[in-house]
Amino acid sequence: MAIPDSLQAVKTRIAAACVAAGRPADAVHLLVVSKTFPGSAVREAFAAGARAFGENYVQEGLAKVGELIDLRGRIEWHLIGPLQSNKTKPVAEQFDWVHSVDRLKVAQRLSEQRPANLPPLNICLQVNISAEASKSGLLPGEVAALARDVAALPRLKLRGLMAIPEPGPGAPAQHQAMARLFAALQAGGLALDTLSLGMSADLEDAVAAGSTMVRVGSAIFGARG
Ligand SMILES: *Cc1c(COP(=O)(O)O)cnc(C)c1O
């Protein structure tokens, strides 16, 4: 399928999932995950109406930000992959969002390095909701304390939580657990608006649980090589 058609098909899936969940059609934002695909594919999706793009790898993301610099101000770049503390500076300077913060040191560096002429960097804390040893992210019990610390950093805006549930029969319970964690932080007084949850395979379950941002790659661009 051509990119504009698959993009439209994903939007239709999101809209149907919102209807099924009794949620307004604009309750869920689409983050188009462009990792491993060239800048020309991003340009095509942008021309078809996509505005927010997610990259996993810092070097690859920075290269695409540079390649598409003519779209700056009209396009949003989100880092959704792991971020080491020695790579924070270009990310603080070039990206609009980071979904993968799981350590205070990384958050402090992003806040210190965010240029004064830019709005605060939008942040989600990554939660290892499946508690897989191989995955990065905070354990659920660690989230509240880091959320309070990150919310206090001056050049960051804490928006919410991100997770990558383990595919399979346990996934719906993990979506629900993320939604409860998100609601608990809001009830605790943090003004959060983003639950970054759901990918090509599980976006319907994620929307049913309360996701406000789905991160979709292969359903739009095709299988990654
Ligand atoms: C690759 C990736 C996605 C998109 O996955 P698809 O299955 O291609 O939709 C979403 N989130 C993260 C963190 C990813 O690494």
Side-chain angles (χ1 to χ4, degrees):
M1 220 190 290
I3 289 172
D5 298 326
S6 49
L7 181 65
Q8 189 51 52
V10 166
K11 287 184 182 170
T12 302
R13 279 177 65 190
I14 294 169
C18 285
V19 169
R23 300 178 61 198
D26 61 357
V28 180
H29 299 276
L30 171 59
L31 179 64
V32 175
V33 176
S34 45
K35 68 177 181 213
T36 78
F37 291 97
S40 57
V42 173
R43 230 177 249 290
E44 232 187 296
F46 180 86
R51 290 295 176 267
F53 292 87
E55 288 286 332
N56 266 63
Y57 311 103
V58 173
Q59 282 318 116
E60 181 191 344
L62 291 170
K64 260 175 250 182
V65 172
E67 186 184 341
L68 302 174
I69 201 72
D70 55 304
L71 302 182
R72 207 75 191 102
R74 292 182 288 154
I75 194 169
E76 249 177 34
W77 290 105
H78 296 228
L79 182 70
I80 60 175
L83 176 58
Q84 272 143 25
S85 56
N86 62 350
K87 300 245 182 78
T88 50
K89 189 160 192 283
V91 171
E93 292 171 349
Q94 303 291 340
F95 280 80
D96 302 293
W97 287 66
V98 178
H99 290 229
S100 49
V101 170
D102 61 4
R103 277 176 300 147
L104 184 58
K105 184 182 177 196
V106 166
Q108 284 169 332
R109 289 176 64 91
L110 288 170
S111 182
E112 283 160 14
Q113 293 165 340
R114 181 69 169 172
N117 63 317
L118 295 179
L121 183 63
N122 297 292
I123 299 291
C124 291
L125 302 183
Q126 183 173 353
V127 183
N128 184 357
I129 196 65
S130 55
E132 289 168 87
S134 62
K135 266 193 196 151
S136 42
L138 299 154
L139 293 175
E142 302 171 328
V143 172
L146 184 61
R148 271 192 301 274
D149 289 345
V150 171
L153 292 171
R155 300 292 297 137
L156 303 184
K157 184 167 175 55
L158 181 65
R159 301 293 295 264
L161 302 178
M162 183 274 255
I164 310 169
E166 188 178 15
Q174 293 169 35
H175 291 124
Q176 300 288 345
M178 282 302 298
R180 284 196 301 274
L181 200 52
F182 183 59
L185 293 179
Q186 290 174 316
L190 291 172
L192 307 181
D193 61 6
T194 303
L195 180 56
S196 168
L197 192 65
M199 320 201 309
S200 292
D202 67 343
L203 75 84
E204 282 83 3
D205 282 348
V207 169
S211 167
T212 70
M213 190 180 291
V214 293
R215 310 178 307 269
V216 179
S218 50
I220 294 169
F221 293 119
R224 285 179 290 273

